Amino acid sequence: MTDNGHPSFVDAPWADAFVQLADHCIACITCSAMDEEGTNLGLLCAEGERLNKVFRRARRA
């Protein structure tokens, strides 16, 4: 919780898993692939899929 009584994103138990997933997807050619209009294609490489599963498990915990 923050001083204002609202939960903070940083306080979330899944924050570390999200940061790892985001850091990977930003740097990965497959995960950041876009079409000619600049829309993300939603592709995940094997590592991106693994990190996504870790993130989803952390969100359920």
Side-chain angles (χ1 to χ4, degrees), residues 10-26:
V10 177
D11 294 338
W14 45 264
D16 288 336
F18 176 79
V19 170
Q20 289 175 357
L21 175 61
D23 284 346
H24 168 78
C25 289
I26 289 170

Side-chain angles (χ1 to χ4, degrees), residues 34-56:
M34 295 184 188
D35 66 11
E36 59 278 347
E37 295 177 4
T39 303
N40 186 287
L41 296 174
L43 304 174
L44 289 177
C45 68
E47 180 65 4
E49 287 182 20
R50 185 189 71 76
L51 290 169
N52 192 33
K53 287 178 184 176
V54 169
F55 169 64
R56 287 190 320 228

